[in-house]
RNA sequence: GGGCACGUAGCUCAGGGGUAGAGCGCUGCCCUUACAAGGCAGAUGUCGGCGGUUCGAAACCGUCCGUGCCCA
């Protein structure tokens, strides 16, 4: 505990011992968060002696707002950093956003469109200014929403990919890669979005099955005719060859000849190319090098001309009747024209096939030949692959490694130029005589007649890929970089593996002399609705987490998400579950409230084990086991399991049993009560600290009340003291068994929960004698002869060596009791049958391990004695 | 078309060669002075089908069926 963490509660005054009977998150959360921030708990000091623990936020998009996916990811990251902070690490959770080139430009262009303007009306400079203005006014809503969630980020270090420093980083690495010939300019087929009017990279294309048409067209005449099939008839205007497989006997005689291309009158060659699949369709394909990536490759191999017939909007530019038609209009028009010519051999419609769409605007992608900038990924990807293969970077869960390798080992060159205005402009200048100069940071660009800068900007991912170190000041050698690089872990969704992870890996290893950007990649799944369906706005099942946070509190949303977080597996979430988590928070609240009302304390040392009751020793033993369990689960990123372990320990053990048992002790007073008050304080103190990373608000509110200290945020993370007491655990287990049995009897007998029943307890030979008051209290059993009347046992419950006799004033429901006992008897007989069968099996006795055989023997013995006992009980019941 | 997951209670999911689990939902009783956002008790499964390995399979192997995702 630090010096400052004493006696000055952040919440209500420390001496305030009564809490309202309900937890009201709305009143607690915002003020607590503001106090945490102003106290500077989340800031990271690069000059500290503490070991570093750094996590970068996978930068959210500046146009975005908090959705459940963020809430999920942030809950996990926040839990990790809060725990490490409590463990005494210098924890840095780096916040910020990326500039989302296409998305942001789209947003601002839409705004302009409402004013009847286009970006071209403003011009580049004014448009970019306008985007900055938009960012200042409406961008980055997510930052405010992160505060609602309780994200413990170092706000003073917030970064934006378009900031001066990060822009320097972009220019620096561009220059280096360029000089190392890892960046080049080339004319290739790229994925073009005719709506966004820019190239996009392979991973920004989403494929989906669309209904189209497959049209078979006869090229050439008579003996030399060849039939080709296409889903994109309009591109035939740009065909410059027909290709067949070299071994295909059907066409061998035609290879090297020319045939006439319909509608155009052009003659195009028939070429033989091994990449043509002779099994598919007619085995002949039309070749349009300017509008198809495969055709482009064929064109290269055979020196074919590339004939572009579509412009940037997807409009036909080829002279003739189709000039000016949109690509889809042109498709029908051309098919119609071919039909008139008798060229159509077959038509299949609808023909379902996979079509690429722009991930931003869903427009059908147009493969387009154009001059672009590329990253040669070969050596970078190889290093990224090797780092994982060599164990320098661990991917968690490990099963996801194969996905990583499958991607990184087959990476194509990365198209990084975008025909946008918002983004990092490529630092290359072209000269009047075809010169090309790449300008590094601080260098003067060439000036003078005819020199101009490249107009394209860089892919947003190009700057996001630098995030793990550009945010720390790179390329300068800063103390932050020295202290915090490499980051400990990147927490992100498996769907982002290809976007961020691979890019960050490639750039980190390259820029930081082979040191990877992080040591672990912890992958989580996608948030889904309560039926396991993907959330989407169009499907109408998307949920705004802020609504749930308003209704149930941030902790409830966080706990629900954490509790569903099995590594790499999708997490479904529904409102009912958030409600359940809210109930849990309220339960914690009330248990602590009870403890405070009864003088629970954290002051002074814990009494020695010898001075504690078995009940106190039991809960302390369970507490320490839970500390160990939760700690281990954190190390393995098992958020679901650790949350569940805490839920069950807190509710099932502490609240349902320890608190209930403590009531008897506290009522009795004396030294035992003092000890219990201290143990109660201890158990809640530790449990709240264990829970804090996942449910920060309610734990802070309660812990400051309980301890009177400054803040749980800077409290120590609990460590396993090693205290265990197997005997006490066994003893309490027996007690629980007896209590449960009596309660079951009462319930089956239709006794009201509050109804007191006189009972005689025979506890000799069991460890329960000392627990008699608690046992009676939990089961509402009065001492015999309570009202001065004679005790007359009407029911007898033998359980675990103890016998409980109850006086029901002769009013026992014999049928109910018979039914209850019969059910037990059936279970015991089934058990006897199963175990006897096993023990009669020679193979089992010979081959099963001894402990297993022993266990089965014990089970059979238990079943036998149960049967004897229950049979006797049944016999003792009055005849119906 | 290639690859990878996954089929366990009504729903959503853990588990994993030796007695089938959780949350929510459901049934009954109860406002027992921390909590009805609660308490107590209870019911519910041929662990997708079929074969195989094993003394023993929900788990391991094969195969089929179904679902989802990624890549082409």
């Amino acid at each position: 505990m630090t010096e400052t963490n004493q006696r000055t509660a952040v919440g209500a005054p420390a001496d305030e011992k009564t809490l309202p009977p309900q937890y009201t998150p709305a009143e607690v959360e915002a003020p607590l968060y503001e106090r945490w921030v102003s106290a500077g708990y989340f800031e990271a000091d690069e000059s500290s002696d503490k070991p570093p623990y750094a996590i970068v936020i996978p930068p959210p998009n500046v146009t975005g707002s908090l959705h459940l996916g963020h809430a999920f990811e942030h809950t996990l990251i926040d839990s990790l950093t809060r725990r490490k902070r409590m463990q005494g690490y210098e924890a840095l959770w780096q916040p910020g956003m990326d500039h989302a080139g296409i998305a942001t430009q789209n947003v601002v262009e839409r705004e302009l469109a409402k004013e009847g303007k286009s970006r071209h009306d403003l011009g580049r400079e004014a448009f970019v200014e306008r985007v900055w203005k938009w960012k200042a006014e409406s961008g980055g809503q997510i930052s405010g929403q992160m505060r609602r969630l309780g994200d413990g980020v170092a706000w003073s270090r917030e970064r934006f990919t378009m900031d001066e420093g990060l822009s320097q980083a972009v220019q620096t690495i561009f220059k280096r890669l360029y000089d190392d010939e890892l960046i080049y300019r080339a004319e290739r087929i790229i994925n073009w979005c005719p709506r966004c009017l820019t190239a996009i990279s392979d991973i920004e294309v989403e494929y989906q099955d669309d209904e189209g048409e497959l049209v078979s067209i006869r090229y050439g005449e008579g003996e030399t005719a060849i039939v080709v099939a296409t889903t994109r008839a309009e591109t035939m205007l740009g065909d410059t060859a027909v290709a067949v497989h070299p071994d295909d006997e059907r066409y061998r005689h035609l290879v090297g000849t020319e045939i006439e291309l319909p509608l155009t009158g052009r003659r195009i060659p028939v070429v033989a190319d091994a990449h043509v699949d002779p099994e598919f369709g007619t085995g002949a394909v039309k070749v349009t090098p300017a509008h198809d990536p495969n055709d482009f490759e064929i064109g290269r191999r055979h020196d074919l001309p590339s004939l572009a017939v579509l412009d940037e909007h997807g409009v036909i530019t080829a002279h003739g009747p189709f000039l000016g038609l949109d690509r889809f209009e042109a498709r029908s028009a051309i098919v119609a024209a071919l039909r008139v010519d008798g060229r159509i051999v077959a038509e299949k419609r609808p023909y379902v096939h996979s079509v690429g769409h722009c991930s931003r605007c869903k427009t059908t992608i147009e493969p387009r030949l154009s001059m672009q900038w590329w990253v040669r990924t070969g050596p970078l990807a190889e290093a990224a692959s090797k780092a994982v293969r060599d164990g320098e970077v661990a991917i968690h869960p490990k099963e996801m490694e194969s996905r990583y390798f499958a991607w990184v080992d087959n990476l194509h060159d990365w198209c990084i130029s975008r025909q946008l205005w918002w983004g990092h402009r490529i630092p290359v200048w072209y000269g009047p005589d075809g010169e090309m100069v790449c300008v590094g940071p601080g260098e003067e660009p060439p000036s003078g007649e005819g020199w101009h800068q490249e107009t394209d900007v860089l892919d947003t991912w190009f700057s996001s890929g630098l995030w793990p170190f550009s945010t720390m000041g790179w390329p300068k050698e800063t103390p932050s970089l020295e202290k915090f690089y490499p980051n400990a872990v990147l927490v992100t969704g498996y769907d982002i593996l290809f976007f961020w992870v691979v890019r960050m890996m490639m750039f980190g290893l390259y820029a930081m002399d082979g040191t990877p950007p992080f040591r672990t990649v912890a992958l989580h799944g996608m948030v889904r609705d309560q039926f396991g369906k993907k959330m989407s706005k169009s499907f109408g099942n998307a949920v705004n987490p802020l609504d749930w946070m308003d209704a149930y509190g941030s902790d409830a949303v966080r706990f629900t998400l954490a509790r569903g977080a099995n590594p790499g597996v999708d997490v479904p979430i529904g409102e009912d579950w958030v409600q359940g988590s809210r109930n849990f928070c309220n339960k914690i609240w009330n248990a602590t409230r009870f403890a405070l009302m009864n003088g629970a304390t954290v002051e002074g040392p814990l009494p020695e084990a010898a001075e504690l009751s078995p009940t106190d020793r039991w809960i302390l033993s369970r507490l320490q086991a839970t500390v160990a369990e939760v700690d281990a689960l954190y190390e393995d990123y098992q958020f679901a399991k650790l949350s569940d372990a805490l839920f069950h320990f807190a509710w099932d053990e502490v609240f349902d049993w320890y608190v209930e048992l403590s009531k008897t002790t506290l009522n009795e007073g004396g030294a035992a009560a003092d000890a219990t008050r201290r143990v109660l304080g201890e158990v809640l103190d530790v449990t709240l600290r264990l829970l804090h990373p996942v449910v920060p608000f309610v734990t802070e509110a309660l812990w400051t009340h309980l301890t009177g200290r400054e803040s749980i945020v800077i409290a120590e993370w609990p460590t396993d003291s090693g205290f265990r007491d197997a005997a006490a655990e066994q003893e309490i287990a027996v007690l629980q068994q007896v209590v449960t049995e009596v309660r079951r009897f009462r319930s089956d007998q239709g006794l009201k929960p509050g109804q007191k029943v006189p009972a005689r307890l025979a506890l000799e030979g069991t460890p329960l004698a000392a627990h008699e008051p608690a046992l009676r209290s939990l089961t509402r059993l009065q001492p015999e002869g309570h009202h001065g009347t004679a005790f007359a046992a009407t029911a007898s419950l033998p359980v675990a060596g103890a016998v409980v006799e109850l006086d029901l004033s002769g009013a026992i429901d014999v049928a109910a009791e018979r039914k209850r006992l019969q059910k037990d008897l059936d279970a015991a007989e089934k058990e006897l049958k199963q175990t006897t069968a096993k023990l009669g099996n020679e193979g089992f006795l010979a081959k099963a391990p001894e402990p297993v055989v022993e266990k089965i023997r014990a089970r059979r013995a238990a079943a036998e004695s149960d049967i004897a006992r229950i049979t006797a009980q049944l016999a003792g019941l009055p005849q119906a």
Side-chain angles (χ1 to χ4, degrees):
Chain A
M1 209 66 53
T2 60
E3 278 297 308
T4 55
N5 197 8
Q6 301 280 343
R7 285 276 144 213
T8 42
V10 162
D15 53 56
E16 174 65 65
K17 291 297 185 199
T18 44
L19 301 168
Q22 274 196 347
Y23 173 51
T24 317
E27 288 173 10
V28 171
E29 292 178 354
L32 282 183
Y33 192 82
E34 287 317 310
R35 285 189 185 110
W36 290 336
V37 170
S38 56
Y41 298 150
F42 303 143
E43 295 302 327
D45 177 4
E46 61 249 0
S47 68
S48 92
D49 298 330
K50 298 176 179 178
Y53 184 83
I55 287 188
V56 291
I57 190 175
N61 175 333
V62 65
T63 66
S65 57
L66 190 83
H67 55 66
L68 271 172
H70 293 122
F72 179 42
E73 184 167 287
H74 290 202
T75 296
L76 306 187
I77 300 176
D78 197 39
S79 309
L80 290 175
T81 43
R82 280 178 186 268
R83 168 170 172 264
K84 285 290 173 181
R85 191 176 291 120
M86 291 171 78
Q87 282 183 321
Y89 286 78
E90 192 63 39
L92 164 61
W93 180 9
Q94 169 68 50
M97 290 175 292
D98 75 31
H99 63 278
I102 298 176
T104 310
Q105 180 157 327
N106 282 349
V107 167
V108 178
E109 284 193 287
R110 269 200 301 275
E111 231 179 48
L112 282 175
K114 281 185 202 149
E115 301 163 19
K117 284 189 252 175
S118 82
R119 67 181 149 114
H120 299 282
D121 296 330
L122 272 69
R124 185 165 187 149
E125 220 171 292
F127 178 77
V128 169
E129 258 176 52
R130 174 80 185 235
V131 178
W132 279 108
K133 188 167 158 251
W134 171 87
K135 191 218 168 215
E137 289 166 3
S138 348
Q141 286 180 48
I142 198 167
S143 298
Q145 295 165 336
M146 286 168 65
R147 294 166 194 265
R148 284 288 313 277
L149 239 200
D151 287 355
V153 298
W155 285 115
S156 74
R157 292 173 181 256
E158 189 174 8
R159 295 288 184 273
F160 182 54
T161 45
M162 288 292 283
D163 283 350
E164 177 60 27
L166 274 67
S167 299
Q168 286 263 323
V170 167
Q171 194 178 354
T172 303
I173 198 153
F174 188 98
K175 172 75 173 161
R176 282 198 199 168
L177 289 165
Y178 182 90
D179 290 346
D180 282 349
E181 295 178 352
L182 290 170
I183 282 183
Y184 61 91
R185 189 172 185 245
E187 191 173 43
R188 297 262 182 85
I189 296 277
I190 45 83
N191 305 295
W192 180 264
C193 176
R195 203 215 62 84
C196 297
L197 298 178
T198 180
I200 59 177
S201 68
D202 293 344
I203 52 175
E204 290 162 291
V205 179
E206 290 170 359
Y207 288 89
Q208 66 182 56
D209 282 342
D210 283 359
E211 285 188 359
E213 56 183 8
L214 185 67
V215 183
S216 299
I217 311 168
R218 180 169 45 82
Y219 283 12
E221 293 296 343
E223 287 294 296
T224 66
I226 295 181
V227 173
V228 297
T230 180
T231 56
R232 307 191 58 212
E234 72 280 10
T235 63
M236 60 93 55
L237 299 177
D239 284 0
T240 55
V242 167
V244 298
H245 194 276
D247 299 336
D248 196 329
E249 294 299 337
R250 293 171 293 178
Y251 302 111
R252 182 163 285 178
H253 63 290
L254 295 176
V255 172
T257 67
E258 288 194 337
I259 56 172
E260 189 186 316
L261 182 65
L263 302 183
T264 66
R266 276 195 290 119
R267 295 189 70 76
I268 56 174
V270 178
V271 300
D273 192 287
H275 283 74
V276 176
D277 177 6
E279 306 291 325
F280 184 80
T282 59
V285 295
K286 60 193 276 302
V287 181
T288 325
H291 294 288
D292 182 280
N294 294 322
D295 293 5
F296 180 74
E297 293 304 319
I298 295 175
R300 278 228 291 219
R301 286 193 287 273
H302 299 276
D303 255 339
L304 301 171
S306 292
L307 193 59
V309 294
L310 290 165
D311 71 4
E312 57 180 8
H313 299 284
V315 169
I316 299 287
T317 55
H319 287 292
F322 309 106
L323 180 68
L325 288 182
D326 167 79
R327 51 188 170 153
F328 299 111
E329 297 166 359
R331 186 172 302 168
S332 346
I334 285 172
V335 171
L338 288 166
R339 196 177 294 122
V340 169
D341 276 9
R343 291 283 180 175
I344 303 293
V345 178
E347 293 176 77
K348 198 173 170 187
R349 197 177 289 116
Y351 177 76
V352 176
H353 62 129
S354 182
V355 178
H357 297 260
C358 172
S359 63
R360 284 286 162 210
C361 71
K362 313 304 172 197
T363 301
T364 302
I365 288 301
E366 188 61 43
R368 186 163 193 249
L369 182 64
S370 69
M371 187 64 86
Q372 302 287 344
W373 287 89
W374 304 82
V375 168
R376 188 157 69 86
T377 52
L380 299 170
E382 202 176 308
S385 177
K386 190 168 179 293
V388 173
R389 235 174 272 279
D390 292 353
E392 276 208 71
V393 177
I395 291 183
H396 182 92
K398 204 168 169 55
E399 303 91 83
M400 289 281 177
E401 268 188 5
S402 57
R403 236 173 131 119
Y404 175 83
F405 290 131
W407 180 259
V408 80
D409 292 342
N410 295 290
L411 201 52
H412 294 186
D413 280 0
W414 170 20
C415 177
I416 51 170
S417 41
R418 297 290 179 271
Q419 288 65 52
L420 304 172
W421 287 354
W422 174 240
H424 297 105
R425 194 162 168 180
I426 290 175
V428 168
W429 269 256
Y430 304 107
D433 301 313
E435 303 97 325
M436 193 160 78
V437 177
C438 180
V439 177
E443 292 173 11
E444 251 335 279
S447 57
E449 193 67 24
W451 282 93
H452 63 278
Q453 187 178 0
E454 167 65 59
T455 54
D456 289 353
V457 301
L458 289 162
D459 182 4
T460 305
W461 302 106
F462 191 90
S463 43
S464 300
L466 309 176
W467 189 260
F469 46 97
S470 63
T471 51
M472 294 177 185
W474 189 89
K476 293 192 196 106
E477 288 178 18
T478 62
S480 277
L481 212 47
E482 176 68 29
K483 176 82 181 175
F484 293 113
Y485 192 92
N487 294 273
V489 52
L490 178 77
V491 178
T492 192
Y494 61 71
D495 59 326
I496 298 298
L497 197 55
F498 315 134
F499 289 82
W500 274 308
V501 181
V502 171
R503 265 137 222 217
M504 287 176 174
M505 287 283 283
M506 291 195 299
F507 281 168
L509 290 162
Y510 175 77
M512 300 299 291
D513 299 320
T515 306
F518 24 71
R519 291 298 179 191
T520 298
V521 178
L523 296 168
H524 61 247
M526 306 294 105
V527 177
R528 291 168 173 273
D529 74 7
Q530 67 268 43
F531 304 112
K533 291 267 178 294
K534 197 185 256 181
M535 282 196 181
S536 76
K537 277 182 198 146
S538 50
F539 193 66
N541 62 346
V543 170
N544 182 351
L546 296 165
D547 293 342
W548 282 353
M549 282 153 66
D550 286 342
Y552 306 111
S554 299
D555 286 338
V557 174
R558 292 173 60 119
F559 191 75
T560 307
L561 290 164
R563 203 173 175 198
N566 289 114
V569 180
D570 289 348
V571 45
I573 182 169
E575 187 159 0
D576 286 352
W577 308 346
V578 180
Q579 212 167 64
S581 299
R582 183 270 313 260
N583 295 356
F584 178 51
C585 292
N586 191 54
K587 188 74 182 177
I588 301 169
W589 177 269
N590 271 292
T592 309
R593 179 167 178 257
F594 166 84
L596 290 169
M597 288 166 69
N598 285 279
T601 180
V602 296
E603 299 302 325
L606 264 185
E608 293 296 317
E611 298 167 32
L612 292 170
S613 71
T615 308
D616 289 338
R617 281 183 274 126
W618 157 69
I619 200 64
L620 289 174
S621 178
R622 288 292 308 131
L623 176 70
Q624 294 304 324
T626 303
V627 169
E629 184 185 3
V630 169
D631 220 26
L633 289 168
Y634 257 115
E635 291 300 322
D636 202 27
Y637 304 99
Q638 298 279 3
F639 297 99
K641 292 198 178 71
L642 72 89
S643 303
D644 206 52
L646 283 166
F647 179 86
H648 285 291
F649 172 69
W651 205 320
D652 298 351
E653 303 196 75
V654 180
F655 305 156
D656 283 351
W657 285 99
Y658 184 69
V659 164
E660 293 305 322
L661 288 166
S662 75
K663 286 178 180 173
T664 304
T665 318
L666 293 169
N667 280 338
E668 284 169 354
D674 288 341
T676 290
R677 273 191 279 271
R678 179 66 188 87
V679 172
L680 196 51
E682 176 75 9
V683 170
L684 284 173
D685 170 20
V686 173
T687 304
L688 289 172
R689 281 187 277 144
L690 287 176
L691 280 164
H692 175 256
V694 182
V695 283
F697 293 107
V698 69
T699 49
E700 171 76 324
L702 294 171
W703 192 83
T704 49
H705 271 94
L706 178 71
T707 65
R709 300 206 176 99
E710 181 185 326
S711 173
I712 198 171
V713 177
I714 51 171
E716 277 173 35
W717 180 251
T719 52
D720 178 13
S721 70
F723 178 77
R724 297 291 188 283
D725 190 331
E729 290 195 25
Q730 177 58 30
E731 189 171 323
I732 300 303
V734 171
L735 175 62
Q736 290 173 328
Q737 199 188 338
V738 175
V739 168
T740 303
E741 188 61 17
V742 174
R743 284 170 170 173
R744 187 160 80 101
F745 172 83
R746 294 183 52 118
S747 181
D748 288 344
Q749 283 295 314
L751 297 175
K752 305 284 185 213
Q755 185 179 334
K756 300 261 199 311
V757 177
R760 177 186 294 156
L761 306 185
L763 306 175
E764 302 79 27
T766 76
L768 299 183
H771 297 287
E772 180 165 342
L775 202 165
R776 285 185 179 277
S777 158
L778 293 180
T779 52
R780 312 267 156 189
L781 295 182
Q782 287 177 315
E784 53 192 279
H786 188 66
H787 296 299
T789 53
F791 180 80
T794 48
S796 173
L797 293 179
V799 46
V803 179
V804 178
E805 291 181 298
L806 302 94
D807 180 355
L808 299 178
S809 315
I812 184 167
D813 181 343
V814 176
E817 182 61 355
R818 191 178 298 282
K819 190 176 157 198
R820 190 175 77 91
L821 291 171
Q822 190 60 48
K823 194 185 141 200
D824 288 357
L825 186 60
D826 291 347
E829 279 174 343
K830 187 180 166 198
E831 175 80 351
L832 179 66
K833 198 175 152 197
Q834 283 177 347
T835 50
T836 304
K838 276 206 168 188
L839 293 168
N841 182 339
E842 290 299 328
F844 175 73
L845 293 176
K847 297 190 180 175
E850 189 49 33
V852 172
V853 177
E854 206 37 63
K855 206 169 153 187
I856 300 295
R857 283 208 183 95
R859 276 172 51 193
R860 182 170 66 173
E864 279 171 342
S865 79
D866 282 349
I867 288 168
R869 193 198 78 225
I870 299 164
T871 307
Q873 280 182 271
L874 278 167
L877 284 179
Q879 293 304 308

